[in-house]
Amino acid sequence: LDRFELVRTKFVPERGLTATLYRHKATSAEVLSIDAPDENKVFSCNFRTLPKDDTGVPHILEHSVLCGSRRYPLKEPFVELLKGSLKTFLNAMTGPDRTMYPVASQNKQDFFNLVSVYLDACLFPRVLDPVEGPRILKQEGWHYDVDDAEGPLKYKGVVFNEMKGVYSSPDSLLYRAAQQATFPDNTYAKDSGGDPDAIVELTFDQFKRFHDAYYHPSNSRIFFYGDDPLEARLDLLDSYLAPFTAPATPAASRIETQAKFATPRRVVERFPASADEAAPGAPSHMVMLNWLLNEKPLSPVDELALTVLDELLMGTRTATLYKAMAESGLGAAVVGGGVSDELKQATFSVGLKGVAKEDVPKVEALALETLAAAAKDGFEADAVEAAVNTLEFQLREMNTGGFPKGLAFMLSMLPRWIYRDDEGANVADALRFEAPLAELKTKLASGEKVFEPLLAELLVDNGHLATIEMVPDASLAEEWAAKERSRLEAAKAAMGEEELADVIRSTADLKRAQLAEDSAEDLATIPRVGLADLEAKVKEVPTDVSALSGGVPLLTHPLPCAGVVYADVLLDLQRLPVSELPLLSLYAALLTQAGTSELDATALQRRIGARTGGIDVGTKLEQPVGDSGAVGAPDGVVHKLVVRGKAVRDRLPDMLELVHSMLTDANLDAQPKAVELLKESKSRLEAAFLSSGNSFAGMRLSSRNTAVGYATELTSGVSYYEAIKEMLTTAQDDWPSLLARLERLRGTINARDGLMINLTSDPDAIDGAKPQLDAFVGRMPAAPAADA
């Protein structure tokens, strides 16, 4: 502890944890150590990494430091860790202004093994070696590739190829253009991931200098969380920081504030498209409006108010702005996610894709008019109640699912840590919410208009608006390819015989190095968990199996849940004909988004928001487990419709009533909504084909091996895309026939003999919930409808 200076300690009562900020005396590295009663320990080594150009050096460096280090000289220690670690999280991530190396594990020895490998990778990577470094840059970044003097010269490299894929995605190009237009004057105007045209200009000297500047401990923000001992954390950390001292001139890593401009700007860019997409009259344009919201940090109460405002505008499909855009008929899908607060300054984005050229001005006008009307007319009281309740439930529950809670805390604190460090801000305040929430609720209770003036200030009267229009161009992909070919041909023509021979040798050397296996000695350097490090007893989730009225199975899990009840209502889907499987996603979406006979879609969403923590509908498709935990038979299937809800315990009756209404009384006769949903699904899959085509190929191949693989292809793969196109045509031209299929599907699966309920809550809440569950079961149909 004497090698670290205590900066401040803060207890966070909302989360029941203590956050202590230390500074390493010799290097000025900052360390945030959180003591929490959580066995899922988290570590992350974070650096502010500001790109000065589009060469993608932060992204390439993130890949490269994981290609071996001083103590672990393997080609890919990361891959070896994945093979033998008990990790609950292991990754590396590059953002527009930061690079993060997070790990998590519930096993203490495994945790410190992961920390050791990552610290060594960040601070002592092989990329700094004058021989290994250039080879790693060639592999992970870019290199010339040619096998013989007569062959064509090519560009290759992991990040180069990855970003070629990104730049072929219209959606990615839209969001890139939006960020650059919204932040034209600071580091966010550069692409930290890398523009393929610029990646091939990156030299090893630039690469090494970037690491020297930004990966120095003085520029690090190091995070620990969990129940591991403080002394062990700091001792291990100091063993890696000890060789360093604080530089006389620290790296210039401050993120400058983007000054707001007073007059809206407009940018038109092209994206690669097919001939059909680029044909005259084709609805293939994209348009998105982007506002920069603030220059100075928002106050805590304004941050919460902005979150609620975002929920009111974009939080659900029936939210004011989302509903207007989605139901306008002007486009296929909404783009822009509303508020984004991950960068130094918050932004707000909204738009549509799949827009006809002549409708682009209408989309822009619709967004502006809807926002102006909301600022003038305000929001209905039940909408505000639902939005505030949704926010409060999320804040108090802090349920991160399978994602490590400590990592979620770090991601919420990191912006404050890297942006406000010179302002004396307390990093842990990012986890506090009671005081600003109470202030916000007091203002609302007094009748004060909170959201309308905020909306007017941040959006309606804000001149910092950058509108992006993306125009399809059938010749752009070939234009880019021709430009690359020309560049490569010129590069090859400029090479002398000796230089070309060097490139050929370098290509062969790199391929040999990639195929070579690590030595047993190098492999042995990777730390592993031994039997003595493992707990002898397997941890089990408490599960009690009983039956409700009519013999409906009930699974209960008595666990500490802070007064929240989690209920899953599952209906058997194996009784459905295979031909109806592609219909499931549309059916599930209509249950939550089409309303019921008593509540229209908007009223239903507001009732869910006001009385529960959320209700979602999806499907569960898995291969059954065989005897003694063995892999089940390939033709076996577990296929369920899952309605998943959560609420505080005294709201369980309200939640069950809403679930029952959605299952038995959803307004399936909602043609406009069905068409809207099918268009969005079609658009989403088309974008996914471009960015993740390999996964769809894998899905197609897997469909031949197991029943689960076959069903997955029918409900998520290329076959599903073909079915969506057919359903969209039917929904537009022959709605009664599609409606009849949806109603038959409901009649087939809504039956007690295929029902199961899964309940998780505090032990003392489970017995009280059973009578309410019995009543719910009793109201469900006993058997499938006769005409189903």
Side-chain angles (χ1 to χ4, degrees):
L1 284 175
D2 62 334
R3 295 176 293 280
F4 291 85
E5 171 193 356
L6 174 63
V7 178
R8 66 171 65 91
T9 296
K10 184 83 171 183
F11 177 67
V12 183
E14 289 93 333
R15 304 301 180 202
L17 52 82
T18 300
T20 305
L21 183 66
Y22 295 95
R23 183 175 291 109
H24 188 248
K25 293 178 181 178
T27 65
S28 297
E30 292 189 5
V31 185
L32 184 59
S33 179
I34 294 184
D35 180 27
D38 187 346
E39 65 179 357
N40 199 8
K41 293 163 274 290
V42 173
F43 163 85
S44 186
C45 193
N46 310 296
F47 301 95
R48 289 197 294 206
T49 48
L50 278 58
K52 301 293 193 297
D53 52 39
D54 293 325
T55 58
V57 61
H59 186 189
I60 297 170
L61 196 52
E62 174 230 306
H63 281 243
S64 299
V65 300
L66 299 176
C67 292
S69 62
R70 176 191 59 178
R71 294 183 180 176
Y72 311 106
L74 290 76
K75 291 193 301 180
E76 294 182 303
F78 185 86
V79 174
E80 292 303 317
L81 283 173
L82 288 173
K83 293 178 182 177
S85 171
L86 300 174
K87 51 84 183 173
T88 54
F89 192 90
L90 180 66
N91 209 343
M93 299 169 283
T94 302
D97 55 17
R98 73 199 79 164
T99 307
M100 300 164 281
Y101 296 88
V103 300
S105 179
Q106 295 182 4
N107 181 282
K108 187 172 75 171
Q109 185 57 54
D110 184 53
F111 175 67
F112 284 115
N113 290 348
L114 295 172
V115 173
S116 296
V117 174
Y118 263 40
L119 281 172
D120 206 59
C122 289
L123 300 177
F124 305 99
R126 288 202 301 170
V127 296
L128 302 181
D129 182 88
V131 175
E132 289 295 329
R135 182 192 65 76
I136 292 171
L137 173 59
K138 289 175 182 178
Q139 172 180 287
E140 300 299 324
W142 78 278
H143 64 276
Y144 287 125
D145 182 277
V146 64
D147 293 323
D148 57 68
E150 304 304 318
L153 195 65
K154 299 176 184 177
Y155 291 127
K156 287 191 178 180
V158 174
V159 171
F160 175 81
N161 290 337
E162 177 185 337
M163 296 311 295
K164 288 266 283 191
V166 169
Y167 273 59
S168 70
S169 163
D171 288 44
S172 297
L173 293 173
L174 170 66
Y175 286 101
R176 174 181 182 266
Q179 181 172 304
Q180 291 177 329
T182 307
F183 296 95
D185 305 317
N186 69 2
T187 191
Y188 301 140
K190 306 301 181 183
D191 191 340
S192 62
D195 180 333
D197 279 349
I199 288 173
V200 297
E201 297 173 357
L202 179 63
T203 67
F204 180 69
D205 183 58
Q206 291 173 281
F207 183 65
K208 184 178 183 303
R209 281 191 280 112
F210 194 92
H211 183 279
D212 291 344
Y214 292 113
Y215 277 61
H216 190 277
S218 60
N219 188 50
S220 65
R221 306 291 188 274
I222 299 170
F223 178 83
F224 282 96
Y225 165 93
D227 60 1
D228 52 303
L230 172 64
E231 292 78 8
R233 295 176 178 178
L234 298 185
D235 284 346
L236 177 61
L237 185 55
D238 182 67
S239 71
Y240 283 93
L241 298 181
F244 296 90
T245 57
T249 305
S253 65
R254 176 184 172 87
I255 297 99
E256 297 299 329
T257 298
Q258 169 65 53
K260 293 176 69 175
F261 45 76
T263 306
R265 302 178 182 181
R266 202 167 192 284
V267 176
V268 179
E269 291 198 4
R270 300 176 295 161
F271 68 88
S274 67
D276 288 343
E277 290 171 327
S284 302
H285 286 240
M286 297 189 285
V287 59
M288 187 163 74
L289 292 77
N290 311 273
W291 286 266
L292 182 66
L293 302 186
N294 61 304
E295 289 182 347
K296 296 182 178 180
L298 298 173
S299 69
V301 69
D302 280 346
E303 285 182 344
L304 286 186
L306 179 59
T307 303
V308 176
L309 177 60
D310 188 45
E311 180 74 13
L312 290 165
L313 292 173
M314 295 286 288
T316 67
R317 298 187 70 94
T318 60
T320 301
L321 183 56
Y322 193 104
K323 177 180 170 68
M325 302 296 284
E327 296 182 359
S328 66
L330 296 173
V334 176
V335 293
V339 171
S340 173
D341 57 2
E342 295 179 352
L343 303 181
K344 184 175 183 180
Q345 295 160 267
T347 61
F348 185 96
S349 301
V350 68
L352 287 173
K353 66 178 181 177
V355 179
K357 179 180 180 180
E358 62 272 17
D359 288 337
V360 167
K362 298 177 185 177
V363 174
E364 297 175 38
L366 176 62
L368 295 173
E369 290 166 4
T370 303
L371 291 169
K376 178 177 179 291
D377 302 333
F379 301 94
E380 294 180 11
D382 60 343
V384 173
E385 178 192 7
V388 172
N389 180 72
T390 297
L391 170 65
E392 183 171 5
F393 194 101
Q394 291 171 347
L395 288 171
R396 297 193 184 286
E397 179 194 29
M398 193 56 195
N399 183 356
T400 59
F403 193 74
K405 186 172 289 188
L407 185 51
F409 287 149
M410 187 205 77
L411 292 174
S412 66
M413 289 187 287
L414 196 55
R416 184 180 295 258
W417 200 0
I418 66 174
Y419 299 143
R420 305 193 199 178
D421 57 345
D422 55 345
E423 301 169 24
N426 192 330
V427 178
D429 283 346
L431 304 181
R432 303 295 305 273
F433 63 85
E434 288 289 6
L437 180 61
E439 182 179 348
L440 176 61
K441 293 168 77 173
T442 298
K443 287 183 176 183
L444 292 172
S446 71
E448 179 181 342
K449 293 289 186 182
V450 174
F451 307 113
E452 294 79 2
L454 193 65
L455 173 56
E457 175 191 353
L458 297 182
L459 294 176
V460 177
D461 300 330
N462 182 0
H464 193 113
L465 166 62
T467 300
I468 311 298
E469 179 184 357
M470 300 297 292
V471 179
D473 189 329
S475 65
L476 185 58
E478 177 52 32
E479 181 183 320
W480 286 350
K483 180 181 176 182
E484 183 177 306
R485 285 196 301 270
S486 176
R487 189 174 185 180
L488 286 164
E489 287 167 1
K492 186 178 180 184
M495 295 178 184
E497 283 189 25
E498 186 174 338
E499 186 179 357
L500 180 57
D502 284 343
V503 173
I504 294 171
R505 280 193 297 271
S506 176
T507 300
D509 289 345
L510 181 58
K511 289 178 179 178
R512 276 194 298 272
Q514 290 171 332
L515 292 173
E517 295 185 0
D518 290 308
S519 68
E521 182 181 8
D522 287 345
L523 287 170
T525 63
I526 291 294
R528 304 183 188 280
V529 176
L531 287 175
D533 302 315
L534 303 178
E535 292 189 26
K537 186 177 180 181
V538 176
K539 294 177 183 176
E540 295 183 357
V541 175
T543 302
D544 298 319
V545 181
S546 58
L548 296 167
S549 58
V552 171
L554 171 65
L555 280 68
T556 57
H557 313 282
L559 292 166
C561 292
V564 176
V565 178
Y566 299 89
D568 301 335
V569 175
L570 299 95
L571 293 166
D572 188 21
L573 297 176
Q574 288 178 250
R575 58 187 61 185
L576 284 178
V578 170
S579 61
E580 298 306 277
L581 294 185
L583 197 59
L584 282 169
S585 291
L586 175 62
Y587 175 75
L590 288 172
L591 293 189
T592 59
Q593 298 171 31
T596 67
S597 62
E598 295 184 0
L599 299 170
D600 65 20
T602 301
L604 176 62
Q605 285 297 325
R606 291 178 182 175
R607 184 75 60 85
I608 291 171
R611 300 188 182 183
T612 77
I615 299 175
D616 298 311
V617 183
T619 59
K620 181 182 182 68
L621 176 59
E622 293 182 3
Q623 194 164 330
V625 178
D627 295 338
S628 302
V631 176
D635 59 350
V637 173
V638 175
H639 202 185
K640 306 284 185 182
L641 183 81
V642 183
V643 184
R644 176 163 291 174
K646 55 189 176 183
V648 295
R649 65 171 71 178
D650 59 351
R651 288 291 195 180
L652 178 60
D654 293 326
M655 184 176 75
L656 292 174
E657 176 61 33
L658 285 166
V659 171
H660 182 267
S661 296
M662 290 160 60
L663 285 173
T664 63
D665 190 36
N667 176 28
L668 299 181
D669 191 5
Q671 182 186 17
K673 177 61 67 175
V675 170
E676 173 194 325
L677 291 168
L678 289 167
K679 284 183 176 180
E680 286 191 5
S681 296
K682 178 175 176 287
S683 177
R684 185 171 57 250
L685 280 169
E686 287 168 348
F689 290 155
L690 288 173
S691 62
S692 308
N694 60 315
S695 66
F696 287 94
M699 204 181 303
R700 190 82 162 184
L701 291 171
S702 296
S703 68
R704 297 173 174 269
N705 299 327
T706 64
V708 168
Y710 181 60
T712 301
E713 168 67 16
L714 292 178
T715 55
S716 303
V718 175
S719 300
Y720 176 54
Y721 174 70
E722 296 298 329
I724 281 181
K725 291 194 292 184
E726 293 177 6
M727 287 189 287
L728 179 56
T729 299
T730 304
Q732 293 170 319
D733 300 338
D734 185 14
W735 171 247
S737 68
L738 187 61
L739 173 61
R741 290 174 62 192
L742 289 165
E743 290 176 337
R744 277 197 303 274
L745 191 157
R746 175 163 62 186
T748 300
I749 66 175
N750 273 358
R752 283 201 297 270
D753 61 359
L755 179 63
M756 175 186 295
I757 294 179
N758 183 57
L759 187 76
T760 304
S761 190
D762 299 298
D764 61 343
I766 288 178
D767 286 341
K770 288 181 179 178
Q772 300 164 41
L773 295 174
D774 268 322
F776 170 83
V777 168
R779 297 173 63 196
M780 291 293 290
D787 58 348

